[in-house]
């Protein structure tokens, strides 16, 4: 009994060990896709979008009504409005191991509000124009990977301070009331100080995170495959860049758990000269080929008008003896080729460029009228394609060109010799029929994980051993406010997420 208990205990511990090791191996897999945003890209974001967005958010601050008494004076302040913000010294920078810092120094805010003042029996109303000077705001945004693998802001540390505030009165007793401006502006400065950080906190945690929700994590590419862009770890922040490591894996929509294990080289981004960099490993492309292979896309029939006449003539000549001996009644029956990729294509990336190796079976079929096709022969086709990667906006495309081609018989070496005359016309057929089929899927321009309204321009593609790196600058086709508004709408209506 004791031995049985020990055996079960040992078995349970061993199973737990294997399960733990599987999780560790899954977590240790390298990224298939990496994106680096450099300090130059951050400067672009700050100059054109972030500063404008913060100004808009602070302009919407609502101030509570102020009611108070000073000696014989009783006052009420209402309708506080921010009329102008001048964030002259605003900076956006990386905070190593944390996230981002938005820092505003020595800036100013102009306000207007309505006053009602009672002094003994005198009652006066009017507008007050005030200015807050020496405005300093220090906001640190902590960036993490959430449970779904999205980039998110999870914490904000904010400190706001206004050094001084001045008020200018209008109305019949404007000059008389100047002496009470000190305690009025002190109250206004206190209230404004209390409102700045909550406004920025809400903007980041609600609005900006809503925009980050629009970045695809696990989404459909077409009716056959999807792609997983979930982060595999928290973003890596240094003083010069923000690095994000994505799974970068395609999957078959009909069987999403059947995926490749990533044994590819971990892509490395070393550059900082451009605003943004995208690195893609061989695994990124191999997983796409594997997903399409699993979905049964890589097969086709060459028949009737798709069959080149010279190829049909050569096939009929090559297999005339077989037809005449075995199926004499079918000598004039139509012929067809059934081409099916027999294993997932393999991508190889070197400094000289990228290639894709593919092996397929080619079956020569005769088509009797009203009957099932009859196989005359089977051959193996080995081909290698040059793959050219391009980027447009935030869409990635791959164009294939046939580089090498070879066929041989699965039956005998003698038949392989007989197939030599078919090499040239089959290669032509491959270029005319199969290569366009491959490009039909790869030209669909897979989206990379960037927010709507943010695009790559001036792209440069560099090939390394095991991965490619695309360096580019950023272009904003939408303002940050529009990106956020569009993001909220997309979150409600998007039905393509899987």
């Amino acid at each position: 009994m004791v031995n049985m208990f020990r055996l079960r205990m040992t078995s349970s511990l061993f199973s737990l060990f294997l399960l733990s090791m599987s999780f560790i191996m899954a977590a240790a897999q390298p990224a298939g896709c990496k994106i680096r945003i450099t300090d130059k890209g951050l400067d672009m974001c700050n100059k054109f979008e972030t500063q404008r967005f913060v100004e808009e958010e602070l302009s919407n601050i609502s101030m509570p009504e102020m009611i108070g008494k000073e000696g014989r004076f009783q006052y009420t302040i209402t309708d506080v409005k921010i009329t102008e913000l001048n964030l002259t010294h605003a900076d956006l920078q990386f905070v190593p191991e944390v996230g981002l810092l938005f820092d505003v120094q020595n800036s100013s805010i102009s306000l207007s509000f309505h006053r009602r003042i009672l002094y003994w029996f005198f009652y006066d109303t009017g507008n007050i124009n005030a200015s807050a000077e020496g405005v300093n705001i220090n906001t640190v945004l902590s960036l993490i990977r959430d449970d779904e693998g999205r980039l998110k802001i999870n914490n904000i540390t904010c400190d706001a301070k206004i050094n001084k505030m001045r008020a200018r009165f209008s109305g019949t007793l404007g000059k008389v009331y100047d002496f009470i401006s000190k305690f009025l502006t002190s109250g206004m400065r206190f209230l404004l100080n209390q409102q700045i950080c909550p406004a920025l906190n809400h903007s980041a945690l609600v609005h900006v995170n809503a925009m980050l929700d629009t970045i695809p994590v696990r989404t459909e590419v077409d009716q056959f495959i999807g792609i997983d862009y979930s982060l595999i770890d928290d973003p890596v922040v240094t003083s010069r860049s923000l690095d994000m490591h994505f799974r970068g894996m395609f999957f078959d929509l009909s069987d999403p758990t059947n995926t490749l294990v990533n044994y590819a080289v971990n892509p490395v981004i070393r550059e900082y000269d451009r605003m943004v960099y995208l690195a893609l490993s061989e695994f990124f492309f191999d997983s796409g080929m594997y997903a399409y292979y699993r979905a049964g896309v890589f097969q086709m029939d060459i028949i009737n008008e798709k069959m080149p006449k010279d190829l049909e003539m050569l096939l009929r000549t090559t297999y005339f003896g077989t037809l005449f001996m075995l199926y004499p009644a079918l000598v004039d029956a139509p012929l067809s080729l059934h081409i099916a990729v027999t294993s997932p294509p393999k991508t190889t990336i070197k400094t000289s460029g990228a290639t894709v190796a593919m092996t397929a079976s080619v079956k020569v079929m005769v088509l009797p009228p009203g009957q099932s096709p009859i196989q005359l022969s089977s051959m193996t086709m080995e081909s290698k394609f040059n793959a050219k990667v391009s980027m447009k906006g935030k869409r990635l495309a791959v164009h294939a060109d046939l580089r090498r081609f070879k066929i041989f018989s699965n039956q005998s070496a003698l038949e392989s010799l007989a197939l030599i005359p078919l090499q040239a016309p089959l290669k032509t057929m491959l270029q005319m029929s199969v290569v366009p089929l491959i490009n039909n899927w790869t030209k669909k321009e897979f989206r990379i994980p960037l927010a709507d309204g943010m695009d790559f321009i001036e792209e440069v593609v560099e090939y390394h051993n095991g991965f490619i790196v695309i360096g580019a600058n950023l272009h904003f086709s939408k303002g940050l406010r529009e990106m956020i508004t569009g993001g909220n709408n997309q979150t409600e209506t998007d039905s393509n997420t899987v």
Side-chain angles (χ1 to χ4, degrees), residues 160-430:
K161 183 179 180 181
I162 298 174
N163 289 331
K164 58 184 177 180
M165 180 172 274
R166 297 177 180 178
R168 295 180 298 277
F169 287 76
S170 63
T172 56
L173 300 178
K175 292 184 179 180
V176 176
Y177 297 144
D178 278 343
F179 76 94
I180 67 170
S181 65
K182 182 177 181 179
F183 63 83
L184 283 179
T185 53
S186 295
M188 288 298 301
R189 184 177 66 175
F190 174 78
L191 287 176
L192 191 56
N193 270 331
Q194 296 299 308
Q195 295 295 321
I196 289 175
C197 283
L200 294 180
N201 289 354
H202 181 267
S203 299
L205 293 175
V206 177
H207 297 320
V208 178
N209 274 341
M211 181 196 69
L212 294 175
D213 282 338
T214 69
I215 299 175
V217 171
R218 191 174 175 90
T219 185
E220 293 181 8
V221 173
D222 53 31
Q223 68 267 38
F224 298 107
I225 68 171
I227 189 165
D228 185 343
Y229 275 131
S230 58
L231 287 167
I232 61 175
D233 50 28
D234 286 334
V236 179
V237 187
T238 69
S239 61
R240 301 182 64 186
S241 67
L242 166 66
D243 288 359
M244 294 169 285
H245 304 159
F246 301 93
R247 191 169 306 281
M249 178 188 69
F250 294 89
F251 56 90
D252 178 9
L253 291 176
S254 64
D255 190 8
T257 60
N258 191 332
T259 57
L260 281 180
V261 178
N262 187 355
Y263 296 114
V265 173
N266 195 14
V268 179
I269 304 175
R270 295 186 173 88
E271 297 85 358
Y272 296 89
D273 295 334
R274 290 177 173 265
M275 296 181 186
V276 62
Y277 290 90
L278 170 70
L280 302 169
S281 73
E282 290 175 347
F283 170 78
F284 179 85
F285 299 100
D286 283 345
S287 68
M289 295 292 186
Y290 181 81
Y292 274 132
Y293 170 76
R294 293 286 307 173
V297 169
F298 294 138
Q299 55 182 311
M300 67 181 304
D301 291 293
I302 309 297
I303 186 175
N304 297 332
E305 66 275 1
K306 294 182 180 179
M307 176 80 72
K309 295 301 180 182
D310 55 347
L311 177 60
E312 183 181 10
M313 185 178 297
L314 277 170
L315 288 173
R316 198 171 294 280
T317 301
T318 302
Y319 296 102
F320 178 79
T322 303
L323 279 169
F324 186 78
M325 295 291 294
L326 300 178
Y327 313 103
L330 302 179
V331 170
D332 296 323
L335 298 179
S336 73
L337 292 176
H338 177 73
I339 302 174
V341 174
T342 56
S343 60
K346 181 70 178 71
T347 306
T348 301
I349 303 176
K350 297 182 178 180
T351 54
S352 56
T355 58
V356 177
M358 185 181 296
T359 301
S361 67
V362 181
K363 295 179 181 179
V364 182
M365 315 288 286
V366 62
L367 307 177
Q371 301 179 35
S372 300
I374 299 173
Q375 180 177 318
L376 297 178
S377 178
S378 175
M379 64 189 87
T380 296
M381 177 175 66
E382 294 180 349
S383 53
K384 182 173 285 190
F385 302 87
N386 287 327
K388 183 178 180 182
V389 179
S390 61
M391 191 81 189
K392 184 178 181 181
K394 52 178 164 285
R395 300 281 178 173
L396 185 75
V398 181
H399 182 80
D401 287 312
L402 184 62
R403 174 181 176 183
R404 190 180 302 165
F405 170 81
K406 181 176 70 173
I407 58 169
F408 53 89
S409 172
N410 294 332
Q411 272 114 22
S412 67
L414 185 62
E415 186 175 12
S416 293
L417 291 175
L419 293 176
I420 292 177
L422 292 175
Q423 293 273 359
L426 278 175
K427 184 176 181 180
T428 301
M429 179 273 300
L430 195 65

